[in-house]
Amino acid sequence: MPEPMSHAAQSGPAATVMPTVWLHITNGRADRDEYSFRKARITLGRLADVVDAQQRLIRRNDVAFVESSEGPNPTVSRSHAHLEWDAADGAFRLFDDRSAQGTTVLRDGGIINVPRGLSKGVQLKPGDEIVLGRARVRFELGTDSNTR
């Protein structure tokens, strides 16, 4: 389990070092129940490898929901969303990659819609729940060095 970071280390211009991101699947089935990363871009979608009509690889999802006709998984697009490190703000931002079902963030009882396509995205805070269609992923930051 990640060791929580102090509030000062979580966001803001002083946070120049990219923290470890922990993603916990709370609704839906993915390759794993929990992921940890220390990288600037993290992709989320259905299937690990996304191919085009000619079977050419066009995207590899870091968090891959399994192909299934049941539950929330069919509501996750193959290229649904991504998280990106914003060094200027010292925070991760969530972007919707033109998904069919949309992406939202649940925070403190409120709902934040993530605009589809080109946008500034939504700045994430520890404890946010990312909603991909009907699947859900909890976002946390930590200092654990066991990352992918």
Side-chain angles (χ1 to χ4, degrees):
M1 205 56 166
E3 182 179 317
M5 297 175 63
S6 70
H7 179 70
Q10 291 176 2
S11 62
T16 57
V17 175
M18 184 175 31
T20 299
V21 171
W22 288 86
L23 299 174
H24 309 271
I25 307 303
T26 59
N27 192 32
R29 274 192 22 230
D31 290 341
R32 299 186 346 219
D33 292 335
E34 180 178 275
Y35 297 82
S36 64
F37 301 98
R38 191 174 176 96
K39 55 192 269 186
R41 184 179 170 98
I42 303 164
T43 55
L44 302 95
R46 187 164 30 96
L47 301 177
D49 291 339
V50 180
V51 297
D52 65 11
Q54 288 77 38
Q55 299 301 304
R56 295 177 298 204
L57 182 66
I58 57 173
R59 174 176 166 138
R60 179 162 279 156
N61 286 314
D62 297 305
V63 176
F65 285 83
V66 299
E67 186 72 44
S68 171
S69 60
E70 299 175 3
N73 284 24
T75 66
V76 178
S77 295
R78 286 180 173 86
S79 299
H80 200 107
H82 72 275
L83 282 65
E84 198 168 297
W85 174 248
D86 182 344
D89 288 339
F92 277 91
R93 301 187 78 76
L94 175 65
F95 298 86
D96 182 288
D97 296 335
R98 301 185 193 281
S99 68
Q101 298 286 325
T103 304
T104 56
V105 174
L106 303 179
R107 179 184 298 153
D108 299 327
I111 298 173
I112 303 168
N113 289 312
V114 180
R116 285 187 173 107
L118 295 176
S119 75
K120 295 179 183 178
V122 171
Q123 184 173 326
L124 292 172
K125 298 184 182 297
D128 281 353
E129 194 161 16
I130 300 167
V131 182
L132 310 166
R134 292 191 335 256
R136 295 185 181 192
V137 180
R138 191 174 69 249
F139 172 84
E140 297 289 350
L141 295 176
T143 58
D144 190 339
S145 61
N146 294 331
T147 59
R148 234 178 104 173

